[in-house]
Amino acid sequence: AGTRDEDDDSADDAPSGSSEEAMEVAAAEAAAAAASATAEENVARAEMATAAVAALASDDDDPLAGLGPFGKAKARFLADRKEHLLIPVIAACVGWITNKLAVEMIFYPLYWKGIPIRRFPGSPFGLIGWQGIVPTKAAMMSARIVDMVTSKLINVQEVFYQLNPTTVAQIMTPEVDAMAGGIASEALPQSLARVAKQMVKGLPAEQLRQLREIQKVMLEGLTKDLQKQLPRVLDVKRLVVEELSTDKRVLVGLFKKVGEKELSFLVNSGWYFGFGLGLIQMVAWMFCRAWWTLPLGGMVVGLMTNWIALKFIFEPVDPVTIWGITFQGLFLKRQPEVSAEFARYMGDNVLTAKKLWDTMLHGPNSANFNAILDVRVRRAITSACAVLGLDRDAVPMDGVCSVVRRRLPNH
């Protein structure tokens, strides 16, 4: 009986163990199936992502493949308006900065700055460095300015012929009077100087008038001689070239003064020309997303803003009327004003009376000036001796002329 009970219990337990094993097998199969499905789904997603990346890498317009070129451009603009609207703003800034930098590089620095590894003669460039274009070419530009002015605009000798010798004599008389006493004391023997001084003090009015007339004739004659022989005593080209090239600030100041309005236009035009070109660049970016279009567009903006501004300044040379509107280069339109500014600047800074006299007295042609001056001084002394009743041979002519030449620069 005991044996039968145990067999019965074993019989009861056997089905229970089999069902648990079946359940475990079923659960394992279900898990395997789920894992397989998940893996297949992940593989499918990975394949789709890979395909999408490959598609984007090969052609970024594929997401908008169903649209035409204008539709794609519109969609790109609407997707990121801020990015697109920044393009013309940045282009305007680029235009202004490049124009401003270009103007500054025309004039500065006055002297070459950089690492003196190598410089190119006559050029603002160095291997590493820069000098303003105008200061670099100061001598050449100065010579061209003089050639242009003296050959096409004015005749220097004719200008000097407009001087009235009588007026010049009246202006110079006070200085000659101031020189006379010192010249007599220094050049004449003491005894003769005392006699001459005493005689002058006691001269009748008629003789004083004669001495004044002799002085006037001398000054008028000197002026006329200089007018006739101006090329022999005054080298205007050398004077101007030296003044403009020695102190480079003078030439830079001339260009900036005469072209002040045009230089201001050149700089400020970068804003609106740059903005207009930036709008074109924005449209191009809407149609073509290649990375190189933006830096290329920036280079074009920098170049074109300068080029367009220069065209507005210098062209057309002669007035051109189109549909009732007259066009002419801004600088050329201001010819009367520019000419007045040029003449005023040259007169105030280069061709001053002091510099003209200094060139005649100390320049390369000073010997010719001194020869003309000596002739007039000798004639005046001879006439004065006749009025005063002095022996002309007693007057050391060479000494008097030497003292006159030495004292003249101070007056």
Side-chain angles (χ1 to χ4, degrees):
T3 301
R4 281 198 304 268
D5 291 340
E6 291 176 359
D7 291 340
D8 292 340
D9 290 340
S10 296
D12 293 338
D13 291 341
S16 177
S18 297
S19 64
E20 289 179 358
E21 290 177 359
M23 290 178 64
E24 289 177 356
V25 170
E29 291 177 350
S36 176
T38 302
E40 291 177 356
E41 185 179 352
N42 288 339
V43 169
R45 288 179 179 176
E47 290 176 348
M48 290 176 63
T50 301
V53 170
L56 288 173
S58 61
D59 186 358
D60 64 350
D61 287 330
D62 274 353
L64 305 175
L67 301 175
F70 290 95
K72 292 177 182 179
K74 180 179 178 181
R76 290 176 183 141
F77 177 81
L78 295 176
D80 196 342
R81 298 183 183 183
K82 182 178 179 181
E83 175 189 273
H84 288 80
L85 293 177
L86 274 176
I87 293 176
V89 175
I90 294 174
C93 295
V94 170
W96 184 88
I97 291 171
T98 53
N99 285 14
K100 176 67 174 176
L101 184 61
V103 169
E104 291 297 312
M105 292 179 72
I106 292 173
F107 301 113
Y108 301 105
L110 295 176
Y111 300 95
W112 193 83
K113 290 186 178 180
I115 301 175
I117 299 174
R118 184 182 178 187
R119 287 204 59 189
F120 304 100
S123 171
F125 293 101
L127 196 59
I128 303 177
W130 178 262
Q131 181 182 9
I133 297 173
V134 170
T136 300
K137 302 182 180 295
M140 180 189 70
M141 288 184 173
S142 303
R144 287 185 177 179
I145 288 173
V146 178
D147 290 339
M148 178 189 67
V149 171
T150 56
S151 64
K152 297 183 178 180
L153 300 181
I154 63 172
N155 184 307
V156 177
Q157 192 161 9
E158 289 181 1
V159 172
F160 270 78
Y161 265 116
Q162 295 179 15
L163 294 174
N164 187 322
T166 302
T167 303
V168 174
Q170 292 173 351
I171 294 172
M172 295 177 66
T173 294
E175 294 298 323
V176 174
D177 291 341
M179 291 173 59
I183 292 172
S185 300
E186 184 177 349
L188 299 179
Q190 291 186 358
S191 58
L192 185 58
R194 281 196 304 269
V195 171
K197 191 176 295 185
Q198 291 172 359
M199 289 181 67
V200 171
K201 288 181 179 179
L203 281 179
E206 177 59 24
Q207 287 181 305
L208 285 175
R209 187 195 64 77
Q210 291 177 3
L211 291 177
R212 286 291 183 189
E213 185 65 22
I214 292 171
Q215 179 179 281
K216 177 185 175 184
V217 170
M218 180 192 72
L219 294 175
E220 289 180 354
L222 178 62
T223 303
K224 292 176 182 178
D225 290 342
L226 293 177
Q227 288 174 330
K228 293 176 183 178
Q229 304 185 52
L230 185 66
R232 294 183 62 242
V233 298
L234 179 62
D235 189 343
V236 176
K237 181 175 181 177
R238 183 176 182 274
L239 168 62
V240 174
V241 171
E242 282 188 354
E243 288 296 321
L244 294 180
S245 59
T246 301
D247 187 352
K248 301 181 186 300
R249 292 173 298 179
V250 178
L251 183 61
V252 169
L254 172 63
F255 276 93
K256 296 184 74 173
K257 184 66 177 177
V258 171
E260 181 178 6
K261 293 184 179 180
E262 286 70 30
L263 292 172
S264 177
F265 170 80
L266 178 59
V267 173
N268 294 327
S269 65
W271 289 117
Y272 34 93
F273 289 150
F275 187 83
L277 292 169
L279 291 175
I280 298 175
Q281 187 179 5
M282 180 188 73
V283 173
W285 180 245
M286 290 164 56
F287 283 89
C288 179
R289 308 291 284 192
W291 66 267
W292 47 265
T293 59
L294 293 179
L296 177 63
M299 183 180 70
V300 172
V301 167
L303 175 65
M304 292 299 294
T305 52
N306 276 275
W307 184 80
I308 294 173
L310 290 174
K311 288 293 182 182
F312 268 84
I313 291 172
F314 295 111
E315 294 183 10
V317 175
D318 299 312
V320 175
T321 302
I322 301 176
W323 295 337
I325 302 175
T326 301
F327 298 92
Q328 188 179 15
L330 298 176
F331 186 76
L332 302 165
K333 192 183 296 184
R334 290 199 313 120
Q335 286 183 62
E337 183 182 347
V338 169
S339 301
E341 287 289 350
F342 178 84
R344 189 178 301 112
Y345 189 89
M346 292 292 286
D348 292 343
N349 298 276
V350 181
L351 296 174
T352 64
K354 183 178 182 304
K355 290 176 180 177
L356 290 171
W357 272 112
D358 186 68
T359 300
M360 286 191 287
L361 294 172
H362 304 293
N365 297 329
S366 59
N368 296 332
F369 173 81
N370 291 335
I372 296 172
L373 177 64
D374 287 355
V375 170
R376 286 296 171 180
V377 171
R378 289 172 186 273
R379 290 179 183 177
I381 292 174
T382 300
S383 300
C385 286
V387 172
L388 297 173
L390 297 175
D391 183 6
R392 176 193 175 283
D393 295 334
V395 178
M397 291 290 190
D398 292 340
V400 173
C401 291
S402 176
V403 173
V404 170
R405 292 195 299 268
R406 188 169 66 254
R407 286 176 172 266
L408 187 59
N410 297 326
H411 294 270

